[in-house]
Amino acid sequence: MQMLDKIKMQRKESDERPPELPISWVEISNSISRQYQFQPDGKLSVKMVDDSRPAAQRVMESFLNKFFPSGYPYSVNEGYMRYTQFRALQHFTSAALSVLSTQSLLFAAGLRPTPAQATAVSWILRDGMQHVGKLICSNLGARMDSEPKPDVLYDFGTGLEVMSPLCPHLFLEVAGLGNFAKGMAVVAARATRLPIYSSFAKEGNLSDLFAKGEAISTLFNVLGLGTGIHLASTICSSMQGKLVVAPLLSVIHVYSVCEEMRAAPVNTLNPQRTAMIVADFVKTGKISSPADLRYREDLLFPGRLIEDAGKVKVGRSLHEVVRPSKLQQFKEAFPEEKFLLNHGSRWTDMILEHNATGEDALRGWLVAAYASDMERLVPEPSANILQEAYDKMNSTFSPFLAELQAKGWHTDRFLDGTGNRFAF
């Protein structure tokens, strides 16, 4: 009985103990007081107690949280802000142009639409032609990986639509061609977003970058539609107004696309970037980073030959470069390599094996560049100049590759677009 009484007394004392209060504390940072508290189930809750920041600062930080990736600016690579600014301007002008062009199309068809009707129909036409553009552009994916630079197809299509009232008897032809071009441009732009966003991702935050980038695009699309409706109701209600405003918006749109593409530090190897890297290394001994090269890339003529890089052409068909009688000779020149080089007087052709990587392309490019450099320095170069250049490449390639990767370049792939490769 005494034992039972002791157990009952212990239970009674435990029941009379006051409940444990949750652990809480207050932290003050940047004029914001937050209360942190551990709940009985172990979860941490956060509650804002006081915010003495100015209203403008609160609005700005709220905007950054909604439209910029977490941890900005430390979570993205340099150049993201400039890219975002011009991307917003691009979407703003394209949305305004879409309202004006659709209104022009309906005028050409004999209708007199209100700005709101033009806005609604613009969405229908764009979405419909997008399916056609996907079918046509599906085989251009490799080229867009190699050169993720959207072109001026959108402005070409918009220009046709704006001009359509001048030739109403050709309405179907002009409307079809204009919307087809715009559909292809939309698909091309969407296909190139991933490699561009990947170049800005710094902490494995690609999904966050993509979500916030699309949020900014949507915001400025809506603002552009509103501006387009206003222009269609006022300045651009006549054909003369459209012929003044539409070209101006198109110029701003193309300029924005060029600037946003230049701001993107794409870190994959394609023919143009590889040639520029090799040229800088042969000429100065230094290796450029993706950020160093972005403003030097040629957006209009990416296939131009660079003299300091050996004037290399990559991707031509094997039968166009090598005669069948000399094929064995070319194979034996560099038997351990995954490339063939044909050093000519005007340029050097390089053909890659089907499984060649970015490192293989770099090795071949360096051989061509060294051979070209030797020809300029020596009045009468030897017959085996390629072999001498190959030996020089082997002596410098290891430190060259290590520094290249340290600069942030991805050397596991070489994006030669639709270029030809060989397999024996």
Side-chain angles (χ1 to χ4, degrees):
M1 291 295 294
Q2 292 180 354
M3 183 64 69
L4 289 174
D5 292 339
K6 288 182 179 180
I7 293 174
K8 289 180 180 179
M9 289 293 293
Q10 289 176 355
R11 288 180 177 175
K12 187 176 180 181
E13 289 176 0
S14 63
D15 292 340
E16 292 176 354
R17 288 175 186 170
E20 292 184 3
L21 296 175
I23 301 174
S24 65
W25 67 95
V26 176
E27 291 185 5
I28 302 174
S29 175
N30 296 328
S31 303
I32 306 174
S33 300
R34 294 183 178 90
Q35 181 181 10
Y36 295 82
Q37 180 174 309
F38 279 112
Q39 301 296 336
D41 58 359
K43 294 183 178 179
L44 179 66
S45 64
V46 182
K47 180 182 178 182
M48 185 179 295
V49 179
D50 182 45
D51 188 352
S52 57
R53 295 174 300 171
Q57 185 179 351
R58 291 201 298 267
V59 171
M60 178 58 67
E61 289 196 10
S62 176
F63 178 84
L64 289 176
N65 291 334
K66 286 181 173 61
F67 294 103
F68 283 81
S70 300
Y72 175 84
Y74 306 106
S75 60
V76 296
N77 285 320
E78 191 267 331
Y80 181 75
M81 173 58 81
R82 184 174 178 83
Y83 170 82
T84 302
Q85 289 172 339
F86 283 103
R87 180 168 172 78
L89 184 58
Q90 173 210 346
H91 280 275
F92 179 83
T93 53
S94 65
L97 278 168
S98 69
V99 177
L100 302 183
S101 63
T102 305
Q103 187 188 46
S104 297
L105 281 176
L106 297 179
F107 273 126
L111 303 176
R112 293 296 179 267
T114 64
Q117 291 171 336
T119 305
V121 177
S122 70
W123 284 96
I124 298 171
L125 287 174
R126 188 187 71 172
D127 291 343
M129 288 307 300
Q130 206 170 68
H131 297 296
V132 180
K134 286 179 181 178
L135 295 174
I136 301 300
C137 288
S138 61
N139 62 338
L140 300 179
R143 184 183 68 83
M144 287 184 268
D145 275 334
S146 174
E147 289 291 342
K149 312 292 185 182
D151 47 28
V152 294
L153 276 176
Y154 187 90
D155 297 274
F156 173 73
T158 302
L160 286 176
E161 292 177 349
V162 171
M163 300 290 288
S164 60
L166 299 179
C167 47
H169 58 289
L170 297 175
F171 169 74
L172 288 178
E173 291 83 352
V174 173
L177 183 59
N179 279 279
F180 177 73
K182 288 170 67 177
M184 290 184 66
V186 168
V187 173
R190 289 186 175 181
T192 58
R193 279 182 207 162
L194 188 58
I196 292 173
Y197 280 132
S198 298
S199 68
F200 286 114
K202 196 174 183 180
E203 300 175 351
N205 57 345
L206 181 58
S207 297
D208 191 21
L209 269 171
F210 194 91
K212 298 300 173 61
E214 294 309 292
I216 289 180
S217 300
T218 302
L219 171 64
F220 281 88
N221 267 325
V222 172
L223 294 176
L225 286 172
T227 303
I229 292 173
H230 177 71
L231 290 173
S233 304
T234 54
I235 302 174
C236 299
S237 57
S238 64
M239 189 62 196
Q240 291 81 2
K242 288 187 181 67
L243 292 178
V244 173
V245 175
L248 178 61
L249 289 175
S250 293
V251 170
I252 297 174
H253 181 259
V254 172
Y255 176 74
S256 300
V257 170
C258 292
E259 288 302 310
E260 71 179 84
M261 290 302 102
R262 291 184 188 279
V266 181
N267 53 8
T268 52
L269 295 176
N270 69 351
Q272 181 179 192
R273 287 189 284 275
T274 303
M276 295 168 71
I277 291 170
V278 170
D280 289 346
F281 179 72
V282 172
K283 194 173 181 179
T284 66
K286 298 180 180 179
I287 295 177
S288 302
S289 66
D292 296 331
L293 291 187
R294 57 186 174 173
Y295 289 110
R296 293 166 49 195
E297 286 190 65
D298 193 333
L299 303 181
L300 296 178
F301 305 102
R304 64 188 176 90
L305 301 180
I306 300 178
E307 185 174 358
D308 291 328
K311 291 186 177 180
V312 175
K313 274 190 178 182
V314 63
R316 294 180 69 197
S317 298
L318 183 62
H319 69 274
E320 295 178 353
V321 176
V322 182
R323 294 179 183 177
S325 59
K326 294 188 176 182
L327 182 57
Q328 188 63 30
Q329 176 183 343
F330 279 95
K331 288 174 61 177
E332 294 174 353
F334 310 114
E336 303 297 325
E337 301 295 342
K338 295 182 179 180
F339 59 82
L340 297 178
L341 286 180
N342 183 13
H343 185 61
S345 57
R346 296 173 58 190
W347 64 74
T348 298
D349 279 297
M350 180 171 68
I351 311 169
L352 297 172
E353 198 171 325
H354 72 285
N355 60 347
T357 65
E359 294 182 21
D360 298 312
L362 286 166
R363 291 174 68 87
W365 224 295
L366 274 173
V367 173
Y370 282 140
S372 178
D373 191 50
M374 290 175 183
E375 285 184 337
R376 287 196 298 269
L377 297 176
V378 181
E380 296 182 2
S382 61
N384 58 346
I385 189 171
L386 280 180
Q387 187 59 47
E388 295 176 7
Y390 181 73
D391 295 337
K392 185 175 181 180
M393 179 274 296
N394 277 328
S395 65
T396 61
F397 188 74
S398 294
F400 166 77
L401 181 64
E403 187 176 352
L404 192 74
Q405 293 172 340
K407 291 281 188 177
W409 290 102
H410 293 173
T411 60
D412 55 331
R413 290 186 62 196
F414 181 72
L415 304 175
D416 49 353
T418 55
N420 294 288
R421 296 197 178 195
F422 72 89
F424 291 119

